[in-house]
Amino acid sequence: GESVGLHLPTLSVQEGDNSIINCAYSNSASDYFIWYKQESGKGPQFIIDIRSNMDKRQGQRVTVLLNKTVKHLSLQIAATQPGDSAVYFCAENGQGAQKLVFGQGTRLTINP
Amino acid sequence: DAGITQSPRHKVTETGTPVTLRCHQTENHRYMYWYRQDPGHGLRLIHYSYGVKDTDKGEVSDGYSVSRSKTEDFLLTLESATSSQTSVYFCAISDWGGAGWEQYFGPGTRLTVT
């Protein structure tokens, strides 16, 4: 079936460096993507979204890049801070506009 | 948590007992969802609602039922809880955000079935 996955299950970065979290999706019908952040014991938090008619979108310290040719999504976090430590999920709407399919998640660890 | 509350936040119950989890929103969003989150499986959709009294199944709906009698409340019921239903349950709400149907999550309910 269609799925959303991640290239790396864990990522460790130095505080202050930039982080890049990757996601591959397989459903070419997906036209909307969301990145979520989940801290321990909390619900997923909406970070940033992007529609398929865009290839880049920027937020506060975060940028999402979408490459539809290779079905690849990435989340870039600038100047990573200790508070960025969390699990990050990508999600896509390939099963219907109002339904999301989630990847397994990447755990981001910040080294001091 | 975008005006979403879940109750209870933690529950321990015995196999075979009925359990109801409640999701309440103050955002007046049309769509509401119930997910479960398990290690190795990520977030999986159980049921969702697209309006009062309008619900549909997700990918893991067996053993679960839902009801939505008011816009703000979405109930998830385990008619006879089993150990395989031990999980963290998240409610989400969705509305059009300009680029797509944005989903926002509640704080979760940790359910343990012994």
Side-chain angles (χ1 to χ4, degrees):
Chain A
E2 303 296 344
S3 64
V4 175
L6 294 165
H7 291 309
L8 294 172
T10 61
L11 177 66
S12 293
V13 299
Q14 292 296 123
E15 183 177 348
D17 287 353
N18 296 335
S19 301
I20 300 176
I21 302 170
N22 295 304
C23 178
Y25 65 96
S26 57
N27 191 337
S28 57
S30 298
D31 64 3
Y32 179 59
F33 305 86
I34 303 176
W35 278 102
Y36 288 91
K37 172 186 180 183
Q38 187 175 24
E39 297 175 276
S40 181
K42 297 185 178 181
Q45 176 188 353
F46 183 104
I47 302 174
I48 190 167
D49 60 355
I50 189 167
R51 195 149 189 91
S52 60
N53 60 354
M54 304 173 69
D55 53 20
K56 180 179 180 179
R57 193 172 187 206
Q58 289 184 291
Q60 186 176 10
R61 277 201 312 121
V62 295
T63 300
V64 56
L65 299 177
L66 175 63
N67 185 330
K68 295 179 290 293
T69 302
V70 296
K71 298 193 189 72
H72 184 267
L73 193 68
S74 68
L75 177 70
Q76 300 178 1
I77 305 173
T80 310
Q81 303 169 358
D84 295 327
S85 291
V87 175
Y88 291 81
F89 298 91
C90 62
E92 48 94 12
N93 71 342
Q95 292 188 357
Q98 293 83 22
K99 292 198 291 185
L100 295 176
V101 175
F102 293 83
Q104 292 292 315
T106 292
R107 182 174 299 281
L108 178 64
T109 302
I110 313 304
N111 301 316
Chain B
D1 292 317
I4 310 169
T5 57
Q6 293 185 231
S7 59
R9 294 293 315 278
H10 301 271
K11 186 170 183 66
V12 179
T13 192
E14 292 184 349
T15 298
T17 59
V19 176
T20 295
L21 308 183
R22 180 180 183 241
C23 177
H24 180 78
Q25 62 149 327
T26 59
E27 306 295 325
N28 200 36
H29 284 1
R30 177 181 174 188
Y31 288 86
M32 298 186 74
Y33 309 78
W34 277 107
Y35 292 90
R36 59 179 291 173
Q37 186 175 42
D38 305 287
H41 292 279
L43 283 158
R44 293 181 291 174
L45 182 65
I46 304 171
H47 282 280
Y48 69 102
S49 169
Y50 46 96
V52 174
K53 292 185 171 39
D54 293 322
T55 65
D56 204 351
K57 296 179 180 180
E59 64 175 299
V60 290
S61 60
D62 287 348
Y64 302 95
S65 62
V66 290
S67 65
R68 191 170 179 198
S69 58
K70 298 186 288 186
T71 298
E72 57 266 35
D73 290 325
F74 193 32
L75 304 181
L76 177 70
T77 297
L78 292 65
E79 300 291 346
S80 178
T82 67
S83 58
S84 65
Q85 293 176 312
T86 293
S87 186
V88 180
Y89 292 85
F90 289 101
C91 174
I93 63 175
S94 178
D95 207 349
W96 182 255
W101 289 88
E102 300 175 359
Q103 281 194 28
Y104 297 91
F105 285 80
T109 294
R110 182 172 295 276
L111 176 67
T112 302
V113 183
T114 62

